[in-house]
Amino acid sequence: MKDIIDGFLKFQRSVFPERAGLFKRLANQQSPRALFISCSDSRLVPELVTQREPGDLFVIRNAGNIVPSYGPEPGGVTASVEYAVSALRVSDIVICGHSDCGAMTAIAGCHCMDNMPAVGHWLRYADSARIVNEAKQHRSAHEKVHSMVRENVIAQLANIQTHPSVRLALEEGRIALHGWVYDIESGDITAYDGLRREFVSLAENPGTRAVPQSAHV
């Protein structure tokens, strides 16, 4: 804990004064460009990976970068998605998985969750990805996990489109969906290409979208 407090003190002494103007502008308003949904894993920091300043991203983080389908009893993720799309009017939504994801490893390996019932229940929102992944042939346990990470991103992209606010924004052509997988060791990102239905290098294909715009305009 001391390291965390020391970090805050350093921020207060050195970093904040240099960006005082930015924080003054942000004090009473925010207008983030994108909603970024990622895993809670400590190794993935959305603002660091995308090199964004405070105020640029509206971030949702949870185990497995999961977005439950819209339902009659909306939870915190649903409320946050709705606020980002309807109130903040973000123009892009990114669902970002990552390599060596503990949640996806547990699903792919059928790990027992009896001692973590809340986690086990939460990961049921990735059931469609699990079923698709189980139907595929994998050369190794590592490849099975990597495939599960990708399938989960695709599944959550489908889930988020059941949210009324997102569906409306897509129909109006004012939002774009992106599905990414971040590799911790290399720093590379692959993006889901909705037209080709495969993951491609984001660096080589920066215009990649998970849902083709023409499909909703």
Side-chain angles (χ1 to χ4, degrees):
M1 191 63 194
K2 182 179 183 300
D3 291 343
I4 295 175
I5 295 173
D6 286 346
F8 160 67
L9 295 175
K10 179 180 179 181
F11 167 79
Q12 192 178 55
R13 288 193 306 265
S14 305
V15 179
F16 186 89
E18 294 177 359
R19 300 188 179 186
L22 170 63
F23 290 114
K24 184 175 182 179
R25 292 194 300 273
L26 294 173
N28 298 305
Q29 63 178 353
Q30 63 169 322
S31 55
R33 303 173 186 177
L35 166 60
F36 200 101
I37 303 171
S38 70
C39 186
S40 297
D41 194 294
S42 62
R43 298 166 294 178
L44 171 55
V45 181
E47 292 85 355
L48 177 63
V49 170
T50 60
Q51 289 294 282
R52 294 295 85 206
E53 292 278 6
D56 286 343
L57 297 179
F58 192 79
V59 178
I60 298 173
R61 301 186 69 172
N62 61 59
N65 44 275
I66 284 171
V67 183
S69 297
Y70 191 82
E73 297 181 5
V77 173
T78 298
S80 297
V81 168
E82 185 174 82
Y83 183 75
V85 175
S86 298
L88 298 178
R89 309 281 289 188
V90 296
S91 59
D92 294 271
I93 298 176
V94 179
I95 297 179
C96 185
H98 65 92
S99 62
D100 193 43
C101 178
M104 296 305 108
T105 299
I107 295 173
C110 299
H111 295 177
C112 177
M113 290 289 175
D114 289 349
N115 64 328
M116 292 187 289
V119 175
H121 177 77
W122 176 251
L123 296 183
R124 292 298 303 273
Y125 289 113
D127 274 356
S128 61
R130 176 182 58 80
I131 291 171
V132 170
N133 200 49
E134 288 290 341
K136 296 184 175 183
Q137 297 294 320
H138 305 286
R139 294 172 294 181
S140 66
H142 175 77
E143 175 55 36
K144 186 176 183 181
V145 172
H146 185 53
S147 177
M148 184 64 208
V149 170
R150 297 194 300 263
E151 291 298 338
N152 183 55
V153 168
I154 295 170
Q156 304 315 318
L157 285 165
N159 284 353
I160 202 169
Q161 291 180 72
T162 68
H163 291 236
S165 59
V166 176
R167 180 67 184 179
L168 176 61
L170 285 168
E171 290 294 334
E172 293 178 344
R174 59 180 174 84
I175 205 165
L177 299 186
H178 311 269
W180 293 359
V181 173
Y182 169 67
D183 185 81
I184 295 170
E185 184 175 5
S186 68
D188 292 334
I189 289 177
T190 54
Y192 184 67
D193 186 324
L195 285 175
R196 297 159 62 178
R197 300 185 67 180
E198 63 181 16
F199 282 85
V200 299
S201 167
L202 181 62
E204 297 174 5
N205 303 272
T208 301
R209 289 188 175 193
V211 177
Q213 188 175 20
S214 58
H216 292 278
V217 177

